[in-house]
Amino acid sequence: MNDWPEAWDDNRGGRYGRGSASAQPESARVMRQVRRGPAAPPGQGGYGGVPRQPSYADGGYDAGYDSGYNNGQVYGRPGGGIPGDPDDRYAGRYAPDWRRRFKWTALTLVTVLIVTLVGTYFWADSKLNRDVDLSTVIDRPEKGEGTNYLIVGSDSREGLSDDQKKKLHTGSAEGKRTDSMMILHTGDNGPTLISLPRDSNITIPKFQGSESGKIRAAMGANKLNAAYSIDGPTLLVRTVEFNTGLHIDHYVEIGFAGFANIVDAVGGVEMDIPQDIKDTKSGADFKKGKQTLNGEEALAFVRTRYALAGSDLDRTKNQQKFLSALANQVATPSTVLNPFKLYPTMGAGLDSLIVDKDMSLFDLADMFWAMKGVSGGEGKSMNMPISGNAGNGNLQWDMPKVKQLVNELKNDEKVTVSGN
């Protein structure tokens, strides 16, 4: 007996599988109900003892029924794991709070920056050699507007080996003398840098000995650089103030070795040398034009005078140009923002400087910034006005011009006086 519907025939003929136009669908097969559980109690539905099955009409499937359809979740990514799965590696995770992360990162960076700046300040402040006590200078002129720095380059060979002395052409003279002297005025009308020729004819006034504390008598007419060799920085400040009437607020001194070390630490300084220079005494041997000078070459350049037509007056001009260029180089982003260059430069400079007891790092920064301003055209550089030679062969200051210059500096006015 064939249990299949009558329409089914093993010999289907041409109705199936051959694209026949007479193909007809097979009739629905009748399947017996299969009892999957105990019979439903009387009165609770069901047909012929078969439990009633859930249907859409009943409001959906019960919680235990799996339809086999996805409920909309995406598996395998944060937030899309199987609920309650203990093996889900993303369980309990939330989207990152970027605003909070940025806040804490910024706070950390600011804290590190502040700690670094404070540490650098105390490190640098501890390296300053505050050896000059200006409070021992007597009969000082009244302080004016702005700030006046007396910048001194000494010929100290301290710290130089015999080979270094030979290489730098410094000789082996004992003691210290002033190789260069400048007054730097800072104020509201731009910086003014004034060179004081070492051979200037001045009066060394009475003074208080830096070691004995005793008052010593005036010494009459002398060269300006003699004051330092007699009783050091305090007598030099006293002599400059007495002969100019200008109050000196801060004193800064650097020797040969320190000068060369600073130049090398900053990576050299570019200079435009206006003429060929050859001087066996200083070791200078330069061709005209732009070139970068290392520490040895820079020292030779600022010390040269015998190869220059104006001798000491031309030398002071070269010293001004170089110091301004050096300050400008130190203040460039390539130095300030590079700790591998900034800290060696600061270390070399601070170790080499001798300053007054009241000098702060902010004062020192103001001085270097003003020097940079001179080279940038924001200020003025000049020699002390000279009227000619005195009877003893020293350079005589043009006192009417000097008086006008000092008055302009005291009142922090724009300098109109021209120097040599």
Side-chain angles (χ1 to χ4, degrees):
M1 177 179 177
N2 190 347
D3 291 333
W4 296 102
E6 296 178 357
W8 186 266
D9 189 347
D10 289 338
N11 299 319
R12 290 183 293 269
R15 291 186 297 168
Y16 294 96
R18 299 182 182 273
S20 172
S22 62
Q24 298 178 5
E26 72 175 299
S27 301
R29 288 178 292 179
V30 179
M31 302 295 291
R32 291 196 300 270
Q33 292 287 349
V34 179
R35 184 174 180 176
R36 299 181 182 272
Q44 294 189 11
Y47 300 92
V50 178
R52 185 178 179 181
Q53 301 298 314
S55 68
Y56 288 104
D58 295 328
Y61 296 101
D62 61 20
Y65 181 77
D66 183 6
S67 67
Y69 290 97
N70 195 313
N71 62 4
Q73 281 189 315
V74 179
Y75 301 117
R77 61 182 180 88
I82 300 174
D85 183 359
D87 294 329
D88 182 11
R89 60 176 178 155
Y90 295 109
R93 294 194 180 184
Y94 299 94
D97 187 344
W98 292 109
R99 180 179 297 180
R100 188 179 181 204
R101 289 188 179 184
F102 177 80
K103 174 183 176 182
W104 282 105
T105 299
L107 183 61
T108 301
L109 290 176
V110 170
T111 302
V112 171
L113 178 61
I114 292 175
V115 170
T116 301
L117 291 176
V118 172
T120 298
Y121 175 85
F122 284 105
W123 167 77
D125 188 71
S126 67
K127 295 180 77 64
L128 273 179
N129 300 308
R130 296 183 174 94
D131 296 339
V132 180
D133 187 1
L134 296 183
S135 66
T136 62
V137 179
I138 64 173
D139 298 336
R140 307 193 68 184
E142 184 180 353
K143 179 175 171 56
E145 299 294 327
T147 303
N148 299 310
Y149 299 87
L150 180 59
I151 304 172
V152 175
S154 76
D155 64 359
S156 171
R157 281 82 171 169
E158 185 177 352
L160 293 176
S161 65
D162 290 340
D163 288 341
Q164 288 175 317
K165 291 176 183 178
K166 183 177 180 180
K167 181 179 179 181
L168 297 175
H169 299 270
T170 64
S172 299
E174 296 297 329
K176 295 194 298 184
R177 286 152 293 277
T178 49
D179 212 48
S180 62
M181 292 157 283
M182 303 178 189
I183 295 175
L184 175 65
H185 174 84
T186 64
D188 295 333
N189 286 288
T192 302
L193 184 62
I194 307 162
S195 286
L196 309 175
R198 56 184 283 177
D199 294 338
S200 296
N201 191 53
I202 49 82
T203 296
I204 296 180
K206 69 176 183 179
F207 64 96
Q208 180 178 330
S210 59
E211 295 184 2
S212 66
K214 296 180 179 179
I215 301 298
R216 298 181 60 177
M219 299 182 183
N222 267 282
K223 291 183 178 181
L224 180 58
N225 66 342
Y228 185 97
S229 62
I230 292 172
D231 200 46
T234 52
L235 179 54
L236 178 60
V237 171
R238 164 75 173 134
T239 302
V240 170
E241 289 186 339
F242 178 83
N243 285 271
T244 62
L246 190 66
H247 182 92
I248 299 299
D249 298 290
H250 293 294
Y251 176 89
V252 181
E253 177 187 328
I254 188 169
F256 284 162
F259 181 82
N261 289 340
I262 293 175
V263 175
D264 285 335
V266 82
V269 176
E270 184 179 78
M271 288 294 297
D272 189 359
I273 299 178
Q275 66 185 71
D276 292 349
I277 299 176
K278 189 173 182 62
D279 185 357
T280 56
K281 292 184 178 296
S282 67
D285 187 4
F286 305 112
K287 298 295 182 182
K288 177 181 178 180
K290 286 187 177 182
Q291 51 204 285
T292 299
L293 307 183
N294 61 26
E296 177 187 346
E297 295 166 337
L299 185 59
F301 177 73
V302 299
R303 293 181 61 221
T304 295
R305 64 171 175 161
Y306 294 105
L308 304 176
S311 188
D312 199 42
L313 292 178
D314 282 349
R315 177 171 70 165
T316 56
K317 294 177 182 178
N318 285 342
Q319 291 170 346
Q320 290 177 348
K321 291 177 182 177
F322 187 85
L323 289 180
S324 296
L326 174 60
N328 188 69
Q329 178 67 26
V330 170
T332 57
S334 62
T335 298
V336 176
L337 300 180
N338 183 355
F340 298 102
K341 183 180 288 187
L342 175 63
Y343 285 98
T345 301
M346 291 178 62
L350 296 172
D351 279 339
S352 307
L353 295 178
I354 296 174
V355 300
D356 64 273
K357 293 184 180 298
D358 294 327
M359 174 75 82
S360 71
L361 288 178
F362 295 106
D363 294 323
L364 197 60
D366 174 67
M367 184 191 79
F368 273 99
W369 194 259
M371 296 283 287
K372 179 179 182 295
V374 171
S375 65
E378 301 169 7
K380 181 174 183 176
S381 60
M382 58 183 288
N383 276 324
M384 187 64 80
I386 303 295
S387 61
N389 290 330
N392 56 8
N394 298 335
L395 296 174
Q396 185 63 49
W397 291 357
D398 188 332
M399 293 312 298
K401 285 188 176 182
V402 170
K403 184 177 180 180
Q404 181 184 349
L405 171 63
V406 170
N407 285 335
E408 290 174 343
L409 294 177
K410 278 186 173 182
N411 297 317
D412 195 24
E413 299 172 349
K414 187 175 181 62
V415 173
T416 61
V417 178
S418 59
N420 297 77

